[in-house]
Amino acid sequence: MNWLAPITRHLIAPAWAAWERSPYLRHHRRLLRTQFDPPETIRQRQWHEIESLLDHAYRTTRFWRGRLADAGLEPGRIRSFDDFRAVPLLTKADLRERAGEMLSDLYRNEKESLHKKRTSGSTGVSVEVLVDEAAQQFKRACVLRSDEWSGWRLGERVAAIWGNPQVRTDWKGRLRRLLLDRDYVHLDTLKMDEAAIGAFADALVRTPPSLLFGHAHSLHLFAVYLKTKRPNVAIRPRGIISAAMVLHDWERRLIEAVFQCPVTNRYGCEEVSLIACECERHDGLHVNADGIYLEVLRPDGTPCPPGEPGMIVVTDLVNRAMPMIRYQVGDMGVLSDRQCPCGRGLPLLERIEGRVADYVVTPRGELISGISLTENFAVMVPGIAQLQIVQEEVDRFVFRIVKGSDFGPKSLETIGVLVKERFGPEVRYECEYVDRIPQEPSGKYRFCISKVEKVQCSFSRD
Ligand SMILES: [Zn+2]
């Protein structure tokens, strides 16, 4: 390992933190201890944070004062996690339309210095969340803890494959990258042609990274490139972190085979940062319970039991500038009731299942994975070359069909039978015939799109 790593870890990072007046290394030391607390202790700590957050949100934001009062949930009315479920869910539409009212009065005067987290808008909606400095430094510590679960240590070199990387090129930024962050090389996922991938591979051979960090799919593309074009090149990081996208098993297998290193799967979002991450056991994702409280819900707003896929809802326990309470992230996940053999008391997610918009909700309130639905129809219905299922309303579907040569009356009859069987007799549908399935603006194909709002959480007014 490179000679600078221990110097950065033990000298430069603490000195830099002192100069920045950042407590993140102190937070980090505490987080390393408390992650082994029993689950019940961690839950109690979360409850304490939720109470204080609700009180703060009610007292200092117009948005939450109105919303909690409308639901009959003035301070003191919420005394348990069960009560907490009566708080109406926060949506992206709320963030888009009422962000001004969500900013806490205590931070109004320092609005310009707050950290701005803007989502890319891959779901068609771009939203901005403001995060205060104290929360930002705490989140930094949470991320550092989970980064180290990959096998990498603070101070060691990092190579990243990321879309539009924000690389600072002023002298301070350069110095910071050289001495502290150690992220010496980037591959921009928006310019991943063969020349760029080749140059990135060369850089990693010359100066081997300890951590390879990137989007699941981009890490996979890089692994495919090495396997097919540069089979003799050996790049052997100590850790690989896959973030920002669902990591498929087949992608993980290939990445691990090429780099001979386990992949650490991570889940988070711009609005609240880290949500969950695998530990060194790679058997489920530990929820970042110090930073967020996570729920997995059915379409009727009730909690999913462990093992059942549902919608992920998070409460940011640290950001006081813009309280994010019961925020619908837009992804699906599965909770676990297992204890991880690593001994950490942080709760486990079995897996992340992708976007809510890729799921269909039936009039009976069941959720069906769009990917398996499309596969199922395409296999059962004769003569379909390609298919896209669009749920326009809860009881209305459009099937966009690219016809194969044997498409005919039998195909239409089968569709009718399948619709009744899968969605119920009351569901209407129409077939549209197209030459090809259109791509999303991002270039991705989506084979199932549901335009139906998934959670109708009941307001409690008692
Ligand atoms: Zn674990």
Side-chain angles (χ1 to χ4, degrees):
M1 207 26 66
N2 156 284
W3 60 269
L4 188 55
I7 299 178
T8 291
R9 184 177 178 83
H10 298 294
L11 293 174
I12 298 173
W16 206 291
W19 174 64
E20 282 182 331
R21 294 169 195 251
S22 167
Y24 85 102
L25 289 173
R26 217 166 51 233
H27 291 319
H28 179 239
R29 279 194 297 277
R30 200 182 74 238
L31 289 170
L32 288 180
R33 262 194 336 268
T34 58
Q35 61 185 342
F36 292 102
D37 284 345
E40 197 39 48
T41 310
I42 290 173
R43 237 175 115 74
Q44 276 169 12
R45 217 161 32 224
Q46 287 189 300
W47 178 246
H48 182 73
E49 294 300 334
I50 287 175
E51 276 190 313
S52 126
L53 175 69
L54 284 168
D55 182 61
H56 165 82
Y58 187 88
R59 280 189 301 102
T60 73
T61 75
R62 193 142 60 93
F63 176 86
W64 284 110
R65 198 155 44 241
R67 186 160 272 203
L68 292 172
D70 284 350
L73 297 168
E74 286 82 3
R77 299 289 301 268
I78 302 173
R79 293 191 204 93
S80 65
F81 284 109
D82 282 342
D83 295 346
F84 183 57
R85 276 203 297 278
V87 176
L89 296 180
L90 180 66
T91 63
K92 289 199 194 320
D94 290 327
L95 279 180
R96 206 171 51 245
E97 289 151 22
R98 305 185 57 191
E101 296 171 52
M102 290 175 64
L103 181 66
S104 162
D105 297 338
L106 305 184
Y107 293 87
R108 252 174 226 292
N109 294 335
E110 46 183 292
K111 191 175 171 194
E112 287 318 304
S113 64
L114 296 172
H115 298 267
K116 295 173 184 61
K117 309 285 172 182
R118 191 168 292 149
T119 61
S120 58
S122 61
T123 48
V125 181
S126 174
V127 297
E128 188 179 75
V129 174
L130 300 175
V131 178
D132 59 84
E133 177 64 17
Q136 173 81 3
Q137 296 307 322
F138 188 83
K139 286 168 189 282
R140 184 179 177 191
C142 294
V143 170
L144 172 58
R145 172 173 71 179
S146 76
D147 279 347
E148 291 197 333
W149 292 347
S150 71
W152 168 88
R153 289 289 169 270
L154 174 66
E156 293 173 1
R157 277 193 298 250
V158 179
I161 310 180
W162 207 248
N164 194 15
Q166 303 285 321
V167 181
R168 281 175 58 181
T169 49
D170 57 315
W171 71 268
K172 253 194 209 162
R174 280 181 202 217
L175 197 65
R176 181 183 165 126
R177 287 180 53 213
L178 179 71
L179 297 177
L180 181 66
D181 298 338
R182 313 291 325 276
D183 55 334
Y184 66 103
V185 57
H186 293 89
L187 173 60
D188 186 348
T189 51
L190 299 176
K191 297 177 201 136
M192 274 185 75
D193 53 25
E194 203 167 310
I197 301 180
F200 184 69
D202 291 338
L204 267 51
V205 170
R206 270 195 313 274
T207 320
S210 174
L211 175 66
L212 184 58
F213 182 90
H215 293 143
H217 188 60
S218 309
L219 287 169
H220 177 254
L221 286 178
F222 184 47
V224 169
Y225 168 85
L226 291 174
K227 188 181 156 136
T228 51
K229 303 278 161 92
R230 312 277 289 274
N232 298 323
V233 162
I235 296 170
R236 300 280 177 266
R238 282 175 68 174
I240 300 175
I241 295 179
S242 157
M245 280 171 118
V246 171
L247 173 71
H248 297 285
D249 284 342
W250 50 273
E251 292 174 325
R252 179 194 287 257
R253 277 196 297 274
L254 185 88
I255 299 167
E256 292 186 342
V258 167
F259 297 103
Q260 294 185 19
C261 171
V263 175
T264 298
N265 189 19
R266 172 181 293 177
Y267 169 60
C269 69
E270 197 60 23
E271 299 92 307
V272 303
S273 178
L274 174 67
I275 296 177
C277 185
E278 287 181 359
C279 71
E280 63 282 354
R281 299 292 180 124
H282 306 285
D283 191 12
L285 296 90
H286 283 288
V287 174
N288 176 28
D290 299 282
I292 59 145
Y293 173 66
L294 180 140
E295 301 168 76
V296 177
L297 301 182
R298 287 177 168 158
D300 66 0
T302 57
C304 285
E308 183 181 310
M311 281 153 288
I312 294 179
V313 167
V314 296
T315 297
D316 188 324
L317 298 176
V318 290
N319 184 12
R320 289 293 187 269
M322 199 163 155
M324 300 279 285
I325 304 172
R326 305 199 81 215
Y327 176 57
Q328 236 183 305
V329 186
D331 296 312
M332 301 281 294
V334 183
L335 273 180
S336 168
D337 53 3
R338 290 182 295 115
Q339 273 285 96
C340 185
C342 72
R344 292 184 181 89
L346 303 168
L348 276 185
L349 273 171
E350 223 37 89
R351 61 186 181 276
I352 303 298
E353 293 219 325
R355 290 200 273 169
V356 174
D358 296 340
Y359 275 68
V360 159
V361 61
T362 70
R364 289 189 293 260
E366 299 152 318
L367 286 169
I368 306 178
S369 149
I371 293 171
S372 41
L373 194 63
T374 314
E375 268 174 17
N376 189 245
F377 270 69
V379 169
M380 307 282 282
V381 180
I384 284 193
Q386 245 189 341
L387 173 70
Q388 185 183 51
I389 300 178
V390 183
Q391 183 175 33
E392 295 285 348
E393 292 163 65
V394 73
D395 58 352
R396 190 165 75 83
F397 286 80
V398 173
F399 296 101
R400 290 207 181 105
I401 297 169
V402 180
K403 286 186 194 173
S405 54
D406 46 349
F407 191 90
K410 178 78 188 145
S411 317
L412 291 172
E413 193 186 312
T414 315
I415 291 176
V417 173
L418 284 175
V419 168
K420 271 207 187 66
E421 228 175 72
R422 298 284 180 277
F423 310 128
E426 65 273 50
V427 164
R428 297 164 294 147
Y429 69 94
E430 56 215 68
C431 295
E432 263 178 37
Y433 303 106
V434 292
D435 296 332
R436 54 182 195 89
I437 303 296
Q439 275 171 300
E440 296 277 291
S442 64
K444 274 196 269 187
Y445 287 99
R446 284 174 71 197
F447 295 105
C448 186
I449 300 169
S450 170
K451 300 182 180 169
V452 179
E453 194 62 49
K454 298 301 182 336
V455 168
Q456 275 97 37
C457 191
S458 53
F459 283 54
S460 150
R461 286 172 183 276
D462 56 351

XYZ file of all heavy atoms in Angstrom, residues 361 390-397 428 451-452:
105
model
N -49.737 -1.383 -9.562
C -50.581 -1.656 -8.409
C -51.969 -2.063 -8.925
O -52.532 -1.410 -9.796
C -50.644 -0.450 -7.437
C -51.224 0.789 -8.090
C -51.437 -0.785 -6.186
N -48.045 -0.088 -19.943
C -48.192 1.215 -19.297
C -49.490 1.213 -18.495
O -50.566 0.956 -19.044
C -48.229 2.366 -20.333
C -48.312 3.715 -19.623
C -47.010 2.304 -21.238
N -49.363 1.460 -17.186
C -50.563 1.570 -16.354
C -50.938 3.050 -16.278
O -50.283 3.826 -15.600
C -50.306 1.005 -14.958
C -51.558 1.042 -14.091
C -51.384 0.377 -12.733
O -50.299 0.406 -12.159
N -52.456 -0.223 -12.239
N -52.003 3.425 -16.984
C -52.416 4.836 -17.028
C -53.187 5.209 -15.771
O -52.998 6.281 -15.213
C -53.287 5.088 -18.270
C -52.549 4.913 -19.593
C -51.602 6.073 -19.893
O -51.685 7.100 -19.193
O -50.764 5.932 -20.817
N -54.108 4.330 -15.382
C -54.868 4.516 -14.144
C -54.915 3.153 -13.478
O -54.557 2.156 -14.093
C -56.293 4.978 -14.446
C -56.371 6.383 -15.036
C -57.716 6.635 -15.696
O -58.717 6.647 -14.954
O -57.762 6.772 -16.923
N -55.419 3.125 -12.249
C -55.356 1.852 -11.523
C -56.111 0.755 -12.279
O -55.725 -0.407 -12.259
C -55.850 2.032 -10.056
C -57.353 2.212 -9.970
C -55.385 0.875 -9.188
N -57.170 1.123 -13.040
C -57.920 0.095 -13.765
C -57.823 0.270 -15.283
O -58.720 -0.111 -16.019
C -59.391 0.102 -13.314
C -60.038 1.462 -13.535
O -59.319 2.424 -13.890
O -61.259 1.561 -13.365
N -56.760 0.918 -15.763
C -56.623 1.082 -17.215
C -55.171 0.920 -17.664
O -54.276 1.584 -17.143
C -57.145 2.440 -17.660
C -57.255 2.576 -19.175
C -58.110 3.772 -19.535
N -57.380 5.012 -19.321
C -56.517 5.537 -20.197
N -56.274 4.921 -21.341
N -55.908 6.665 -19.929
N -54.974 0.009 -18.612
C -53.636 -0.301 -19.113
C -53.530 -0.071 -20.615
O -54.512 -0.184 -21.333
C -53.303 -1.777 -18.855
C -52.996 -2.076 -17.415
C -54.026 -2.239 -16.497
C -51.688 -2.188 -16.982
C -53.754 -2.505 -15.162
C -51.406 -2.448 -15.657
C -52.433 -2.615 -14.743
N -59.702 -2.321 -17.614
C -59.813 -2.084 -19.059
C -58.412 -1.974 -19.652
O -57.464 -1.623 -18.954
C -60.553 -0.763 -19.339
C -61.981 -0.737 -18.849
C -62.498 0.687 -18.791
N -61.787 1.457 -17.775
C -61.524 2.755 -17.864
N -61.878 3.444 -18.941
N -60.881 3.385 -16.894
N -48.222 4.897 -13.913
C -48.413 6.327 -13.617
C -49.316 6.516 -12.397
O -49.793 7.613 -12.144
C -49.022 7.019 -14.837
C -48.133 6.918 -16.072
C -48.724 7.634 -17.251
C -47.805 7.507 -18.466
N -48.466 7.973 -19.700
N -49.549 5.438 -11.661
C -50.487 5.492 -10.539
C -49.741 5.818 -9.246
O -48.703 5.216 -8.947
C -51.226 4.146 -10.386
C -52.176 4.181 -9.205
C -51.974 3.824 -11.662
